Amino acid sequence: MHTVVVGTAGVTAADVVAVARRDARIELSAEAVAALTAAREIVDALAAKPEPVYGVSTGFGALATRHISPELRAQLQRNIVRSHAAGMGPRVEREVVRALMFLRLKTVCSGHTGVRPEVAQTMADVLNAGITPVVHEYGSLGCSGDLAPLSHCALTLMGEGDAEGPDGVVRPAGELLAAHGIAPVELREKEGLALLNGTDGMLGMLVMALDDLDNLYKAADVTAAMSLEALLGTDKVLAPELHAIRPHPGQAASAANMLAVLKGSELTGHHQDDAPRVQDAYSVRCAPQVAGAGRDTMAHARLVAERELAAAVDNPVVLPDGRVESNGNFHGAPVAYVLDFLAIAAADLGSIAERRTDRLLDKNRSHGLPPFLADDAGVDSGLMIAQYTQAALVSELKRLAVPASADSIPSSAMQEDHVSMGWSAARKLRTAVDNLARIVAVELYAASRGVELREGLVAAPASRAVIAAAREAGVQGTGPDRFLAPDLAAADAFVRSGALVEAVEAVTGALA
């Protein structure tokens, strides 16, 4: 099994995906253990002093003015976890919770939080055992960290609350820890606060969304190319010299991908003289511009994610010179903005894909294809309602594109009076990504049928490879009407799994 070693300098996006989605094993480096020990010594020294230090010997948030006596400090740390584990609503997905815990462990191991090495090791042990705390949908405003979600995770470390075992069964966390030989932690000064004060949930969801979108943007380039082919469009608009004079790197990459897919096609431009068209419609001609803008948005989002993955997000933080200082680094604005930006890009990519699908189905605009790509139009409805489903998904994407980060709602008696709503931005982006995969799947289904219906003309080798792989994966081809939902589900799985991109790359080489 792959092992991820956590040190003091942060982790990579690949590490997050490996732990969250593939249950990679986690180890703490010797450097991390040394940094944890050194920072803890600073916290212990401050705890012994009579002067109040926020998070060490005071209350929290609007209650920070109260100095807590030494005999109550362990109770204070337990209480903050219990009281902040106040989430409600449906459970959050297992991969999100694993990413959440792993990223909090990443910050803990930076040596800036003052948490003892044994607490960090327990976090790693819980993840390695496949124990997943029950975390709920609602409870984070994206400021002072993803408080409620992280608190539910910290509650599990204490042996309290509920968690899911590796068998998928939810049980009391104390029972699960005992079954795996893990001792519950007894929190000391600052540790409760340090376990729940970070942007880890929204960051984890950003990293996984980028992983999914990398596949989906390549898939969308492929389906756009196949739609162009089925519509007898021209590939001249994809020429590199045209994109070089508007030097957006994402645009050039998308155009190059489409051109690679279409190489060797007998459909593109072949009938321009028989059915004169000066230009293809925007949804076909401008596909690289729209997908490319989304790709450039992803590049910016990756930059933000990389910075956050290298960050130590906590309040207060332990500095190398021995100071423990309050700060605002827990504010989720940098992550929240790009989460919303990605949702906007996903909505636009879905929207243009739906327009191409509709064009394939309309006999007045499809350049000779049968109405709705039906076998016997009138007796058969073909893909009429598949496009309805796609349109409903696009409409939902547009609603999900409304930014969460433009909102704020004050909390904690106006101490926390401006919040990022980054968790909410991340949650809606996950839905947007899911919907985008379905939209691309419907275009694939329509475009592949359209290509097949162009009798007497040979499609590009890459297109033929996609169609063959899709049919093998249960995505049916042309023919009379049948129960369509299973076909669409198979197309969705084919796109989402990466099999679509793999089928193309087997012919073209790696796509950009």
Side-chain angles (χ1 to χ4, degrees):
M1 182 183 289
H2 177 62
T3 298
V4 172
V5 178
V6 184
T8 60
V11 297
T12 67
D15 292 335
V16 177
V17 172
V19 171
R21 292 183 160 168
R22 295 193 287 274
D23 290 350
R25 186 168 182 80
I26 301 162
E27 292 181 3
L28 308 185
S29 71
E31 174 194 32
V33 173
L36 285 160
T37 301
R40 186 64 209 180
E41 290 174 354
I42 293 171
V43 170
D44 285 341
L46 289 171
K49 293 183 177 181
E51 298 85 7
V53 177
Y54 178 70
V56 176
S57 54
T58 71
F60 308 110
L63 302 176
T65 54
R66 178 175 172 182
H67 184 219
I68 308 299
S69 58
E71 67 275 10
L72 294 175
R73 290 176 189 169
Q75 181 181 340
L76 170 70
Q77 300 301 319
R78 289 193 301 270
N79 285 351
I80 190 175
V81 172
R82 290 168 176 163
S83 66
H84 285 46
M88 295 181 73
R91 283 181 60 192
V92 172
E93 303 85 355
R94 181 179 187 269
E95 66 177 16
V96 172
V97 180
R98 287 184 62 81
L100 175 76
M101 289 190 70
F102 175 64
L103 288 168
R104 183 77 318 224
L105 175 60
K106 174 268 299 183
T107 283
V108 164
C109 287
S110 69
H112 290 293
T113 67
V115 168
R116 288 169 294 149
E118 49 265 46
V119 176
Q121 185 60 57
T122 301
M123 297 172 76
D125 292 343
V126 168
L127 285 165
N128 289 339
I131 297 170
T132 308
V134 171
V135 173
H136 299 280
E137 182 86 18
Y138 302 104
S140 173
L141 299 178
C143 200
S144 289
D146 291 317
L147 287 175
L150 282 163
S151 296
H152 283 275
C153 295
L155 200 65
T156 294
L157 300 178
M158 292 165 50
E160 300 180 19
D162 294 323
E164 180 185 295
D167 58 0
V169 177
V170 174
R171 297 167 56 190
E175 291 182 13
L176 283 168
L177 295 185
H180 289 85
I182 302 171
V185 297
E186 294 285 344
L187 298 177
R188 288 169 49 180
E189 290 92 347
K190 195 182 179 299
E191 290 180 335
L193 185 61
L195 292 177
L196 52 90
N197 209 337
T199 56
D200 309 289
M202 64 183 89
L203 176 58
M205 287 185 275
L206 172 60
V207 168
M208 289 186 288
L210 287 168
D211 187 53
D212 292 333
L213 288 169
D214 183 65
N215 169 55
L216 290 179
Y217 268 81
K218 291 175 184 175
D221 288 341
V222 174
T223 58
M226 292 178 68
S227 289
L228 183 153
E229 199 173 17
L231 291 166
L232 304 178
T234 176
D235 60 357
K236 291 182 179 179
V237 296
L238 304 174
E241 58 269 26
L242 293 175
H243 298 279
I245 62 176
R246 193 190 191 194
H248 294 287
Q251 176 180 323
S254 286
N257 284 348
M258 290 181 66
L259 205 56
V261 173
L262 293 170
K263 185 178 181 181
S265 175
E266 293 184 2
L267 279 71
T268 56
H270 184 79
H271 287 254
Q272 292 305 301
D273 294 332
D274 297 339
R277 262 179 287 164
V278 176
Q279 297 176 328
D280 288 313
Y282 281 14
S283 60
V284 178
R285 190 181 359 144
C286 302
Q289 284 77 8
V290 172
R295 285 170 167 270
D296 291 341
T297 300
M298 288 169 59
H300 173 60
R302 282 195 193 95
L303 177 61
V304 172
E306 287 166 3
R307 290 169 175 165
E308 199 77 355
L309 287 167
V313 179
D314 192 18
N315 180 46
V317 292
V318 180
L319 297 173
D321 61 8
R323 287 179 295 147
V324 176
E325 296 286 1
S326 292
N327 66 90
N329 285 344
F330 50 75
H331 199 286
V335 182
Y337 291 170
V338 293
L339 288 163
D340 281 332
F341 202 173
L342 288 173
I344 292 169
D348 203 30
L349 187 64
S351 179
I352 198 170
E354 184 274 331
R355 289 292 81 205
R356 289 190 295 265
T357 302
D358 183 66
R359 183 165 290 271
L360 286 164
L361 271 54
D362 183 352
K363 70 181 182 65
N364 297 310
R365 295 179 290 142
S366 65
H367 305 284
L369 291 172
F372 302 104
L373 305 179
D375 186 65
D376 184 5
V379 175
D380 294 315
S381 295
L383 305 190
M384 180 190 295
I385 307 305
Q387 185 267 333
Y388 277 41
T389 300
Q390 191 187 40
L393 290 163
V394 169
S395 185
E396 176 74 3
L397 274 186
K398 291 173 183 177
R399 292 190 290 272
L400 292 167
V402 176
S405 58
D407 187 24
S408 178
I409 189 165
S411 57
S412 192
M414 294 297 284
Q415 176 73 3
E416 297 165 11
D417 59 351
H418 184 82
V419 297
S420 77
M421 303 306 297
W423 173 273
S424 297
R427 296 305 295 166
K428 69 184 183 66
L429 177 60
R430 283 181 69 82
T431 304
V433 170
D434 274 348
N435 284 355
L436 179 60
R438 297 181 182 108
I439 290 164
V440 172
V442 175
E443 184 180 16
L444 165 69
Y445 195 72
S448 62
R449 183 179 284 202
V451 168
E452 285 183 318
L453 288 167
R454 294 296 186 184
E455 296 178 358
L457 295 171
V458 180
S463 296
R464 299 201 305 271
V466 168
I467 293 170
R471 301 297 175 253
E472 189 174 339
V475 184
Q476 299 300 311
T478 57
D481 281 357
R482 57 182 169 270
F483 181 23
L484 207 54
D487 279 9
L488 298 179
D492 181 32
F494 182 66
V495 169
R496 200 181 296 264
S497 68
L500 167 61
V501 174
E502 289 172 7
V504 169
E505 290 184 332
V507 176
T508 64
L511 297 178

